Amino acid sequence: MSITRQKAIESAIQYRSNDEPKLGNKEVPSYFGANVFGDDQMKARLPKDIYASLRKTIEEGVPLDTRVADVVAAAMSRWAIERGATHYAHVFYPLTGLTAEKHDSFYSPDGKGHLTIDFSGKQLIQGEPDASSFPNGGIRATFEARGYTAWDVTSPAYLMEGRNGTTLCIPTAFCSWTGEALDKKVPLLRSMQAVNRQAQRVLRLLGHKDPGMITASAGPEQEYFLIDRSLYYARPDLLSAGRTLFGTRPPKGQELEDQYFGTIPARVLAFMTEVDTELYKLGVPVKTRHNEVAPAQYEIAPVFESANLATDHQYLIMQVLQSVAPKYGLACLLHEKPFAGINGSGKHLNWSLGGPKVGNLLNPGETPQDNMQFLVFCAAVIRAVDLHAVMLRGSVAHAGNDHRLGANEAPPAIISVFVGEQLAEVFDQIVAGGSRRTKKAGTLAVGVDTLPPLPKDATDRNRTSPFAFTGNRFEFRAVGSSQSIAGPQVVLNTIVAESLDYIATELEKAPKQPAKFNEAVQKLLQKILKEHGRVIFNGDNYSQEWHEEAARRGLPNTRTTPEALDAMSCEETFKVFEKYNVLSRREAESRFEIYREKYVKDVLIEARLCLSMARTMIFPAGVKYQKLLSQTAADLSALGKSGCTTTLDEVNGLLANLQKAMLELESVIQIPSKLSAARECRYLLDTVIPMMNALRKEADALEHICSDELWPLPTYQEMLFIR
């Protein structure tokens, strides 16, 4: 085995942790949110009127009173400095898909040889980072450096502790000097406002005089891989692309199904314990941790929170996973498909709507009125998903997710809705306009006066569905593990707002008398389910039969990112975003341009890596093995022995094929000039990626027969099973 690989394996085997999880033996409530300037700190440190004004903004969505900023800034900075903070940072989420932050010191010289604390309300509310290096899709010229961050009062500031210091992190929005969104937070906040307005309209029509603020809620389930850090650094593809571009399946993969929910290895459990501790200190309500299906794959999941806060916390989860892993000699892989041939990683997005006064709007209640409300909101979601399936599919489109979607490990690219047998039967009865006994639910009378109580979903979950109702929420299972949940939520909130707007507009025309109004509700439900029930499917989404049936129903099937982005960037998408003030046409178009640019960059990085690794690592290893076999054959021939040359012939053929594949990839890796971004994506999809796959096929076949002593790269078996 190569020296690099040997040293990596030895380092992995000999690893011993010197770090012990902090606070692991203390009761969690004693330190939960300890590093958060949350409600407890605000209540204790702010004057009552300032605190009340701030809570009103957070809970009711009223505009922020800027006069409170100086008071909040003073209290926040004192709290942070008391905890060891020396700098503050406006944290924002540019369209790179990563977090960004610019650190400024709390201290400024006073001109007399001393330092004074310098952190005002103005500095809290607004920052001015250099925006020239962030993708903008044509919104701004490269020479225009100015961008602004704006304090998001609904997401609390927190302390990020490092080895040598602590930083106060302030969640912010990021926009151009003209006010156009350059990030993921601004559209998310706008979409939450849109769905709140339309949900309130519907609720008032259903009898709620004061429904209060309606908030979209989210709970993302984060899947990830852990491999030994030494092996990670010995793989250039993992280091630069996040996934293995070469590698044969190990003799044992996940076929024994012994990983899922199995005993967590000791080093991994120590890592998980510290991750939980750090996240608890940051106020992130993580609930679940376990082994996932594939070897070396795991999951962490928080409980439901408001969509905006859940998104901020999701970034923190990914950040903490990757920052804690090295302490235990591990590398955390968030790519959707780090290893070919075994399950990839997703980020199942659990989504719902509700508020303090009305509860969860997707929770079947215990009274007929509750059921009417539930069915209206459930029908709104079904209509939204059917009408705007291309938007929902486009929200999860990126190069990494293309390796996962459509396999027997993740939902297909066809967007459908699972509702369970019981709820499907209720919908069938509404469509038919009749009544009959439902499954375990008594008699359903679809009449003019009322709807009966509905029990919660009584069916099994459908793991093959991309968008499944799970009792009191919908689970969007197509989101990629490396992806921000902001984009999918922006789409979900917007399309559901459009659907609720339609329902409210129709019901506003209905007679006010209860009996006639209830009749109008049921007729509208019947109309929606007749027109959009095609999107409901409770069967096996992996089956070829469903693909054929979906085509007959007219459901779109966009298998790749270029297809999905082309389908999404249409007039209907622009109109929906503009109508609800979520994205202007210019902002939406800029995003499609950025997503295409990112796809191009991701694929080209992989293509160049593929070529480089094949030339400098794999081909030389094959030549060395070829030389060894040739010398052995020559030595046997000199002794008058007829040595077997079958393996030599096979290696000769593979090396010839490998060399040919390298030349072919090199010939197409340069994108033709004067292509649009959309055409560039198609070129890479149709030309470059097939060449990469052809090169990998030959390289993996060579790994299969090459001497283990000569192979330069850590193998799948080593990466997945050395823990």
Side-chain angles (χ1 to χ4, degrees), residues 456-587:
K456 290 184 178 180
D457 177 56
T459 63
D460 195 10
R461 297 174 68 187
N462 188 324
R463 303 296 295 177
T464 71
S465 174
F467 198 81
F469 181 70
T470 56
N472 62 0
R473 64 191 182 273
F474 283 94
E475 182 181 32
F476 188 24
R477 301 184 64 247
V479 183
S481 55
S482 68
Q483 186 179 359
S484 167
I485 60 172
Q489 287 187 99
V490 167
V491 170
L492 265 172
N493 294 341
T494 305
I495 64 177
V496 172
E498 186 276 333
S499 207
L500 292 171
D501 183 6
Y502 165 78
I503 289 172
T505 302
E506 292 297 309
L507 292 181
E508 284 167 355
K509 305 172 187 174
K512 304 304 178 190
Q513 301 92 329
K516 291 185 177 180
F517 180 80
N518 287 347
E519 183 178 8
V521 170
Q522 295 195 53
K523 285 183 177 179
L524 182 58
L525 288 174
Q526 187 179 49
K527 182 175 186 291
I528 290 172
L529 294 169
K530 277 185 177 180
E531 293 178 357
H532 304 287
R534 64 174 187 167
V535 80
I536 297 173
F537 180 67
N538 288 338
D540 183 0
N541 286 251
Y542 294 156
S543 68
Q544 182 59 36
E545 290 79 11
W546 166 235
H547 284 242
E548 295 167 0
E549 171 63 21
R552 286 192 292 271
R553 295 187 186 188
L555 300 179
N557 186 3
T558 48
R559 294 176 174 85
T560 65
T561 292
E563 292 175 276
L565 293 178
D566 287 351
M568 188 181 183
S569 54
C570 62
E571 194 63 31
E572 183 61 29
T573 296
F574 298 136
K575 286 181 179 177
V576 172
F577 279 142
E578 281 192 301
K579 182 176 181 181
Y580 299 98
N581 299 312
V582 174
L583 290 169
S584 69
R585 187 183 187 97
R586 191 178 183 212
E587 289 173 328

Side-chain angles (χ1 to χ4, degrees), residues 8 11-13 15-19 226-233 267-268 271 323-332 722-723:
S11 178
I13 293 172
Y15 173 81
R16 296 292 183 272
S17 175
N18 294 319
D19 291 307
L226 288 174
I227 67 168
D228 190 272
R229 199 163 179 241
S230 303
L231 301 174
Y232 169 80
Y233 281 118
R267 178 161 49 147
V268 174
F271 157 81
S323 64
V324 172
K327 295 183 181 181
Y328 297 90
L330 299 167
C332 177
I722 296 178
R723 309 179 195 177

Side-chain angles (χ1 to χ4, degrees), residues 259-307:
Q259 168 74 9
Y260 195 54
F261 281 11
T263 302
I264 301 172
R267 178 161 49 147
V268 174
L269 185 58
F271 157 81
M272 287 179 169
T273 301
E274 183 157 350
V275 166
D276 283 353
T277 298
E278 292 303 313
L279 290 173
Y280 287 146
K281 288 159 63 179
L282 291 166
V284 182
V286 286
K287 181 72 172 177
T288 303
R289 63 189 190 194
H290 61 84
N291 286 356
E292 258 295 337
V293 173
Q297 187 185 35
Y298 308 93
E299 179 178 296
I300 182 171
V303 298
F304 260 69
E305 299 179 281
S306 75

